[in-house]
Amino acid sequence: MNRNYPKPIVYVVSDSAGETAESVLKAAAIQFHPNHVEIRRAPYVNGREGVDFVVAEAAKAHGIVVFTLVVPELRDYLIAQARKRKVISIDLLGPIISTLEKAFDQEPRHQPGLIHQLDEDYFKKVEAVEFAVKYDDGRDATGVLLADIVLVGVSRTSKTPLSMYLAHRGLKVANVPLVPELQPPEQLYTVSPQKVIGLVIDPDKLNMIRRERLKSLGLADNALYAQFERIHKELDHARTVMSRVGCKVIDVSNKAVEETAGIILSLIRT
């Protein structure tokens, strides 16, 4: 059956961007396709004047007000004004917040825009993880200049796992392997030593880790990579570089990644 109804106008009112309410409205409106709803978004309404304006416009247009207001006083005011002007209003968040308040036995924060703060944290973490991958293992010395933290140390001192762990805390981390045969990037000596962290390890522990690594690759565990003479040479070189940089040094011999990360976080905050 074909019926030509006038296109309804729905005012989306929010004390933040209004994306939540608009998404819910569109999800509901699609059930009436091909009929269309005209959506007029009123974001960042944080006072009675904004409410008065939107409700008045909705009354003139015979429209509907859909809102996501987390401040109770403003929410109640909008409901009262809509009732007064005979405007249909739909509170999307109020009933949910009220139900969760009872379930958690906890007072809600009533703070607008929190979901966008969470989104910002999420994207910051994603950016930090991408940074850690791009500047892992000294692939690009530019990362030393751009990073929040620069980890330096010999192979198998957990530089990459630490970079990823710290990236999930929103920190951009570059790591640089220290090898006697290769000069460290010059950028390492020009950045603030406060953001450079040196990682060292007990030679016996490193020998064990490297032997296991060689075995996992199907190689002989007595290769040069795991020999004590080579390990001591690398660690001496690493300490020389760290001394020149003037950075803090952490012994990771018997520390889990989480423990070392905690120490790093405390060091960069001081």
Side-chain angles (χ1 to χ4, degrees):
M1 185 183 296
N2 252 341
R3 294 178 181 173
N4 294 317
Y5 290 110
K7 183 191 294 186
I9 299 172
V10 181
Y11 292 80
V12 171
V13 183
S14 175
D15 40 25
S16 186
E19 294 171 352
T20 302
E22 184 168 343
S23 296
V24 173
L25 177 58
K26 286 179 177 178
I30 197 68
Q31 299 298 320
F32 301 93
H33 184 78
N35 295 297
H36 296 288
V37 172
E38 180 179 339
I39 300 173
R40 297 181 184 178
R41 198 194 293 190
Y44 304 107
V45 174
N46 52 23
R48 293 190 172 197
E49 288 184 3
V51 169
D52 289 340
F53 175 79
V54 175
V55 173
E57 289 294 304
K60 284 190 287 185
H62 303 288
I64 299 167
V65 174
V66 172
F67 63 95
T68 53
L69 299 173
V70 297
V71 178
E73 295 78 14
L74 198 58
R75 191 166 64 227
D76 293 343
Y77 182 76
L78 188 150
I79 293 170
Q81 292 303 108
R83 188 180 296 121
K84 180 179 177 181
R85 289 180 170 268
K86 295 182 172 55
V87 171
I88 296 172
S89 66
I90 303 171
D91 181 2
L92 290 181
L93 285 185
I96 299 174
I97 291 174
S98 178
T99 301
L100 291 177
E101 180 179 2
K102 293 174 184 174
F104 292 135
D105 191 23
Q106 178 183 337
E107 181 77 14
R109 293 164 68 177
H110 301 307
Q111 184 179 338
L114 288 178
I115 192 168
H116 296 288
Q117 291 179 24
L118 292 174
D119 287 345
E120 287 172 16
D121 288 342
Y122 171 77
F123 287 115
K124 186 178 180 182
K125 288 176 185 177
V126 169
E127 185 180 358
V129 169
E130 290 174 347
F131 185 96
V133 171
K134 182 176 181 179
Y135 297 109
D136 182 43
D137 209 29
R139 290 175 188 167
D140 185 346
T142 308
V144 174
L145 301 175
L146 301 175
D148 299 314
I149 301 172
V150 181
L151 303 177
V152 297
V154 302
S155 173
R156 315 315 294 177
T157 48
S158 300
K159 295 186 300 299
T160 297
L162 276 168
S163 296
M164 290 300 171
Y165 186 93
L166 292 167
H168 282 89
R169 302 293 293 269
L171 294 164
K172 294 180 180 178
V173 185
N175 73 75
V176 178
L178 299 180
V179 184
E181 292 75 19
L182 296 174
Q183 285 298 317
E186 197 59 37
Q187 292 91 333
L188 193 60
Y189 302 114
T190 62
V191 298
S192 169
Q194 299 300 316
K195 76 173 185 177
V196 182
I197 302 292
L199 305 175
V200 295
I201 189 170
D202 176 75
D204 291 324
K205 181 76 172 179
L206 185 56
N207 169 260
M208 183 181 69
I209 293 171
R210 288 189 173 184
R211 287 174 60 192
E212 290 301 317
R213 176 61 175 162
L214 288 169
K215 287 179 184 177
S216 71
L217 295 173
L219 302 173
D221 65 359
N222 61 349
L224 179 64
Y225 178 67
Q227 291 178 10
F228 277 107
E229 184 179 351
R230 174 65 187 183
I231 286 172
H232 282 290
K233 182 179 179 179
E234 288 187 28
L235 289 172
D236 288 344
H237 170 71
R239 288 188 181 277
T240 299
V241 172
M242 293 171 195
S243 178
R244 181 181 169 189
V245 172
C247 64
K248 299 279 193 342
V249 178
I250 302 173
D251 188 333
V252 301
S253 301
N254 297 302
K255 293 181 177 66
V257 169
E258 296 83 357
E259 185 181 356
T260 305
I263 295 171
I264 292 171
L265 291 171
S266 66
L267 287 175
I268 65 172
R269 286 172 185 153
T270 56

